[in-house]
Amino acid sequence: MVENAQYLDANASFDHALEAAWQIVRDKLKSEVGEAEYGTWLRQIVLGPLEDDELTLFLPSRFLRDWVRSQYEERLKSLWRTEYPKVQHIELLVRRGMAESTSDTQSSPNTDSTAAAGEQGASDVPPEVRSDLAAPLDSRFTFDSFVVGKPNEFAYACARRVAEKPSSPGFNPLFLYGGVGLGKTHLMHAIGSELTKTGNVSVAYMSAEKFMYRFIAAIRSQSTMEFKEQLRSVDVLMIDDLQFLIGKDNTQEEFFHTFNALVDAGRQIIVSADKSPSDLSGLEDRLRTRLGCGMVADIHATTFELRISILEAKAKASGTTVPAKVLEYLAHKITTNVRELEGALNRLIAHADLVGRPVTLDSTQDVLKDMLKAHDRRVTIEEIQRKVAEHWNIRLTDMSSARRARAVARPRQVAMFLAKQLTSRSLPEIGRKFGNRDHTTVMHAVNRVAELMEQDPSFAEDVELLRRMLEG
Ligand code: ADP
Ligand code: MG
């Protein structure tokens, strides 16, 4: 309230109706989410200006802004639209030095931690993260339910090994990395379940994000000692999605110390990330070095064969008969992410159950229409050519030129490969867009790129990245 008045006084166009609507929106939100949640996340939102149909709302830190954006933006928007239809869009911006400093005086046990608290917006930590240390393990993610194929066999073998014999020198830390939805979390949980089966090993699994929240919460409640002791008392510590700590220097520092303490005490550390230690730029050098000291295992993008095996296994587990043709179709269409592949299959099975008819290729196309459309998306070949040319710094015209120098020929092949994967164009159609090339040239390009991706992880990463960018 006070903050609003401050902001709006400074603003010539005081809008009573807007202010009144804001009051209603806030009250509704508060009654929807409850006092506690409202107090933690939403109280500090400050009304900003309305321009055209876009309303600006301010938050005091980036952390808080990101959180509100991910958790509440849709709800905020729809409340505004209902209460005050002039507002159709919402922009959440960070404005420092407003509510947070007045509403909450920070006190911390040591200066080091104050820095972390300040940088990451410590008062944003919800109270519940102060409770138990680790997240529970998902019982579905076991070694038995993990389908092994060429792209993941090494990571799988390493995970098995660590589960059998934690803290062996060559395997500590175990660093698993790979793209989204390729099974990193699954493998970590599998290790955890296997170890806790025996009963006398204490395992703590948490995402790097949770690690940060907990660390900050400990600073806030002046219990960093307890937090450290708790962490350092486990036999196995697993931190998932470490890339989250990029740019969070103080949390990184804390993690580094925990890491060292545990390894020195002969405990096992398992870490996952979306990139290899050496590619995680933005992590402190000494941390990257230590992360790479044990076993580093990457999970490659899935192959068609692996996707088929995964689908077969999941179909079998479901007890519903799914024709091989359908599995092949899915494995062709959904190539990036096992989670989506699984989602598609589950939808088919649920649908078949519901209508009491078997799964067929026709029903598949029908049931998955939206999903598959999202995959064919509106990416055009021109868009692909542009992005790829930009990425490798070549001229757009070289996408259709006759030049054969490797520096242009390779990117051109990648663009053809992506055109095949991301659009529904046929090989001859694609060929035409690349300077009237023959469809066999396109086919060769597609195979060659797939081959290179298998052989060269950094090339594979480039292609993956492009694909993700194009898919939006
Ligand atoms: P990541 O952590 O790498 O993003 P997840 O471990 O969360 O990926 O995997 C996404 C989903 O795909 C999970 O449901 C997981 O069980 C499933 N999955 C991934 N790889 C495999 C595999 N090789 N076999 C069986 N299921 C898999
Ligand atoms: Mg994961």
Side-chain angles (χ1 to χ4, degrees):
M1 287 306 289
V2 180
E3 305 95 89
N4 286 345
Q6 272 170 1
Y7 178 77
L8 291 163
D9 280 347
N11 206 317
S13 58
F14 188 92
D15 186 338
H16 289 281
L18 189 69
E19 170 71 2
W22 180 216
Q23 194 55 54
I24 297 171
V25 170
R26 300 180 109 176
D27 289 346
K28 289 210 162 157
L29 265 179
K30 199 186 294 178
S31 67
E32 278 177 20
V33 305
E35 282 289 343
E37 201 173 319
Y38 181 84
T40 314
W41 303 109
L42 300 162
R43 182 174 46 81
Q44 304 186 56
I45 301 177
V46 171
L47 185 63
L50 173 65
E51 284 165 67
D52 299 326
D53 60 357
E54 183 175 271
L55 177 70
T56 302
L57 297 173
F58 292 109
L59 283 146
S61 67
R62 197 160 62 103
F63 179 82
L64 196 50
R65 193 271 315 266
D66 291 348
W67 187 264
V68 168
R69 182 179 280 165
S70 67
Q71 305 296 315
Y72 305 104
E73 183 169 8
E74 282 312 308
R75 191 62 200 132
L76 269 169
K77 199 158 59 184
S78 82
L79 278 171
W80 269 106
R81 285 178 175 169
T82 323
E83 293 309 322
Y84 199 70
K86 268 192 204 165
V87 174
Q88 286 300 312
H89 304 283
I90 285 182
E91 170 97 297
L92 294 164
L93 294 180
V94 179
R95 218 170 49 145
R96 294 198 187 277
M98 23 178 261
E100 198 174 29
S101 50
T102 55
S103 67
D104 204 340
T105 330
Q106 292 173 3
S107 59
S108 290
N110 59 58
T111 46
D112 202 31
S113 316
T114 312
E119 145 194 310
Q120 284 142 355
S123 62
D124 311 343
V125 175
E128 66 269 25
V129 302
R130 272 154 234 203
S131 53
D132 65 329
L133 182 66
L137 296 169
D138 190 322
S139 61
R140 291 168 309 162
F141 295 164
T142 62
F143 283 124
D144 283 343
S145 66
F146 191 82
V147 179
V148 186
K150 242 189 158 173
N152 61 25
E153 64 187 4
F154 183 65
Y156 174 83
C158 292
R160 270 263 139 151
R161 168 68 201 266
V162 167
E164 259 159 40
K165 220 165 150 252
S167 311
S168 352
F171 289 83
N172 201 12
L174 172 62
F175 189 99
L176 297 169
Y177 75 94
V180 180
L182 298 182
K184 301 181 294 294
T185 300
H186 187 134
L187 280 179
M188 288 176 113
H189 283 243
I191 299 172
S193 308
E194 196 69 21
L195 284 168
T196 45
K197 250 195 231 162
T198 58
N200 49 16
V201 182
S202 64
V203 175
Y205 164 91
M206 70 183 100
S207 65
E209 191 177 6
K210 273 278 155 60
F211 180 87
M212 186 187 89
Y213 289 146
R214 272 168 206 186
F215 173 48
I216 296 173
I219 294 170
R220 298 292 301 170
S221 58
Q222 310 207 351
S223 58
T224 38
M225 284 311 287
E226 277 161 80
F227 175 72
K228 286 180 198 198
E229 272 165 29
Q230 259 185 321
L231 273 177
R232 287 169 201 191
S233 67
V234 301
D235 297 312
V236 180
L237 176 65
M238 303 196 261
I239 302 287
D240 207 350
D241 290 321
L242 192 79
Q243 70 275 4
F244 182 82
L245 295 191
I246 285 175
K248 319 280 191 325
D249 294 347
N250 295 290
T251 309
Q252 255 181 60
E253 169 108 13
E254 182 55 30
F255 175 66
F256 181 71
H257 293 311
T258 305
F259 182 102
N260 287 334
L262 283 169
V263 173
D264 290 347
R267 313 284 165 71
Q268 175 77 46
I269 306 263
I270 304 165
V271 168
S272 87
D274 62 352
K275 297 195 192 68
S276 73
S278 53
D279 287 337
L280 281 173
S281 48
L283 278 196
E284 264 190 80
D285 285 346
R286 55 181 188 166
L287 178 55
R288 284 196 296 169
T289 309
R290 291 233 54 176
L291 286 170
C293 269
M295 182 57 72
V296 177
D298 54 346
I299 307 187
H300 298 276
T302 56
T303 54
F304 180 74
E305 288 73 28
L306 179 59
R307 290 195 293 279
I308 289 285
S309 313
I310 291 174
L311 287 168
E312 279 170 355
K314 308 235 175 208
K316 187 161 169 235
S318 80
T320 305
T321 317
V322 184
K325 270 264 160 286
V326 168
L327 299 184
E328 270 171 39
Y329 177 77
L330 291 179
H332 266 302
K333 281 285 183 185
I334 303 174
T335 54
T336 38
N337 181 323
V338 179
R339 189 176 297 118
E340 285 183 23
L341 198 61
E342 221 179 349
L345 183 67
N346 287 339
R347 227 157 102 178
L348 286 184
I349 291 171
H351 179 81
D353 266 5
L354 220 65
V355 301
R357 275 199 300 271
V359 179
T360 63
L361 201 50
D362 277 348
S363 74
T364 301
Q365 277 161 343
D366 195 40
V367 173
L368 301 180
K369 221 182 309 161
D370 324 331
M371 199 170 184
L372 297 172
K373 212 188 285 157
H375 271 267
D376 299 333
R377 233 202 20 130
R378 312 140 306 260
V379 186
T380 61
I381 294 184
E382 288 74 14
E383 226 175 306
I384 294 172
Q385 292 177 327
R386 194 159 0 96
K387 267 273 181 298
V388 173
E390 261 167 34
H391 183 82
W392 273 291
N393 240 327
I394 63 169
R395 286 192 309 259
L396 185 56
T397 48
D398 276 331
M399 284 291 159
S400 36
S401 75
R403 288 182 61 200
R404 284 160 172 246
R406 164 84 56 93
V408 297
R410 185 75 77 226
R412 192 189 295 132
Q413 287 181 323
V414 170
M416 290 184 199
F417 173 85
L418 290 171
K420 179 78 195 97
Q421 287 213 319
L422 301 178
T423 72
S424 48
R425 300 311 182 90
S426 65
L427 294 177
E429 278 175 307
I430 294 172
R432 274 201 288 283
K433 299 258 180 191
F434 285 82
N436 268 327
R437 287 181 155 79
D438 192 67
H439 77 274
T440 54
T441 309
V442 181
M443 198 157 68
H444 172 74
V446 171
N447 292 335
R448 184 75 191 121
V449 169
E451 214 173 80
L452 280 173
M453 285 177 74
E454 295 249 309
Q455 292 159 2
D456 179 353
S458 85
F459 175 75
E461 233 166 59
D462 276 348
V463 179
E464 268 310 305
L465 182 79
L466 281 163
R467 192 223 306 259
R468 255 177 259 160
M469 286 190 320
L470 285 160
E471 277 182 338

